[in-house]
Amino acid sequence: MSNKQVVHPVQFYGFYSSPSDGPHPFNDYGDHRDNGEIVHDSLSIDKLSKRVNNLPQSTVSVVDFGGGKGKVYNSLKHYTDKKYSYKIIDLPEVFCDPGEEVEYLSSVKEVEGKVDIFYTDATFFLTKGTSFAQNVHDSCKLNSDYMILDRTIIIEGGKYESFYTFVNQFNGFYYSIIQDEHLKTLLKAEGYKLIEERYSKSGVSSKEEESSMRFEVNGAPPDLGLVTYKDYVFQK
């Protein structure tokens, strides 16, 4: 782990084809969600707000997968001049009342109507009982114009398309991690084109900075590759 800069306070332990293969119980994810506050000085929110403001329609339809108590919604209301049809997909115990434009749902399968932007922030790899790849397939069925995946934990390089690993933090939880190229292949097969990709930091550019964003998985095969965090924008 030397010379690798931590961007999220976790360590990765083990390499498993499913959580049932691991030595730890599959606990519920420890709740460290937002309280709905507006996010300031965030590159992700800044870029998302600019993309929304550039859309021609006055009312924008957004599906926010793992949207918690409306942090991204409240930030978009603050930084854009749009009206919204905003659907948050999350656990029922998280549901609250951010406003009349917001509807809470438990699954993407409950979403109806046109979707302009599908957004998720550090959630596809966390859903208990549903793999990262399955989340991709289910979300693509919404046929949104844009799919924006922020703070996405993926694997770069190696020969494995996907795997599970255990994280001690947040109550102890298995992460479903997918290979970078496999993610792009899945979305391409669904008709999406990659239009933006960067490491989840303040816009790293040099090779030295990029290397600081890669992390090892303890106890993993030597040909696994390295874990990193990326932001993606795909367009239909």
Side-chain angles (χ1 to χ4, degrees):
M1 295 295 290
S2 61
N3 299 321
K4 294 183 175 68
Q5 180 174 339
V6 175
V7 293
H8 198 278
V10 300
Q11 296 277 328
F12 307 99
Y13 295 95
F15 173 86
Y16 313 107
S17 59
S18 72
S20 61
D21 294 333
H24 307 285
F26 201 154
N27 298 319
D28 291 330
Y29 188 62
D31 191 356
H32 69 296
R33 293 178 178 84
D34 63 273
N35 60 7
E37 76 280 4
I38 295 170
V39 180
H40 300 284
D41 301 319
S42 165
L43 181 61
S44 293
I45 293 297
D46 180 61
K47 293 173 76 67
L48 179 60
S49 299
K50 289 179 179 177
R51 188 170 301 279
V52 168
N53 272 329
N54 287 334
L55 294 175
Q57 58 267 46
S58 59
T59 299
V60 179
S61 173
V62 178
V63 171
D64 185 350
F65 188 88
K69 296 182 179 180
K71 174 180 67 178
V72 175
Y73 166 74
N74 288 324
S75 300
L76 287 175
K77 289 296 288 185
H78 180 77
Y79 288 112
T80 72
D81 56 1
K82 302 290 188 179
K83 296 180 180 179
Y84 291 91
S85 170
Y86 204 96
K87 296 176 174 63
I88 294 177
I89 312 297
D90 217 310
L91 301 173
E93 56 264 32
V94 179
F95 293 5
C96 61
D97 185 19
E100 62 181 11
E101 293 181 330
V102 179
E103 178 183 8
Y104 274 90
L105 302 171
S106 298
S107 167
V108 293
K109 297 176 182 179
E110 300 174 30
V111 176
E112 297 180 351
K114 175 74 168 64
V115 178
D116 298 314
I117 293 176
F118 177 91
Y119 178 82
T120 186
D121 178 16
T123 307
F124 267 3
F125 53 87
L126 289 175
T127 52
K128 187 175 181 179
T130 306
S131 69
F132 192 123
Q134 188 61 53
N135 281 327
V136 171
H137 286 302
D138 292 345
S139 301
C140 284
K141 292 178 182 179
L142 299 179
N143 202 34
S144 59
D145 293 335
Y146 293 93
M147 287 193 68
I148 301 176
L149 284 59
D150 277 349
R151 292 195 302 152
T152 305
I153 297 182
I154 54 93
I155 199 85
E156 282 191 324
K159 67 176 185 180
Y160 299 94
E161 292 182 346
S162 63
F163 68 101
Y164 282 86
T165 191
F166 188 75
V167 171
N168 281 326
Q169 288 87 344
F170 313 125
N171 203 35
F173 202 79
Y174 287 93
Y175 282 19
S176 173
I177 301 182
I178 197 171
Q179 188 188 52
D180 174 66
E181 288 303 318
H182 186 51
L183 170 62
K184 295 170 186 175
T185 297
L186 291 177
L187 281 157
K188 183 178 180 180
E190 298 285 352
Y192 283 92
K193 177 183 178 182
L194 178 66
I195 62 172
E196 189 174 314
E197 175 184 5
R198 65 182 177 86
Y199 290 92
S200 301
K201 197 180 175 183
S202 57
V204 300
S205 56
S206 72
K207 291 298 181 183
E208 182 178 354
E209 287 177 310
E210 288 180 8
S211 66
S212 74
M213 301 293 294
R214 298 186 177 98
F215 311 92
E216 297 168 345
V217 175
N218 296 284
D223 52 358
L224 175 65
L226 294 174
V227 170
T228 190
Y229 291 67
K230 279 190 174 181
D231 302 338
Y232 303 90
V233 180
F234 295 89
Q235 185 176 13
K236 191 78 169 184

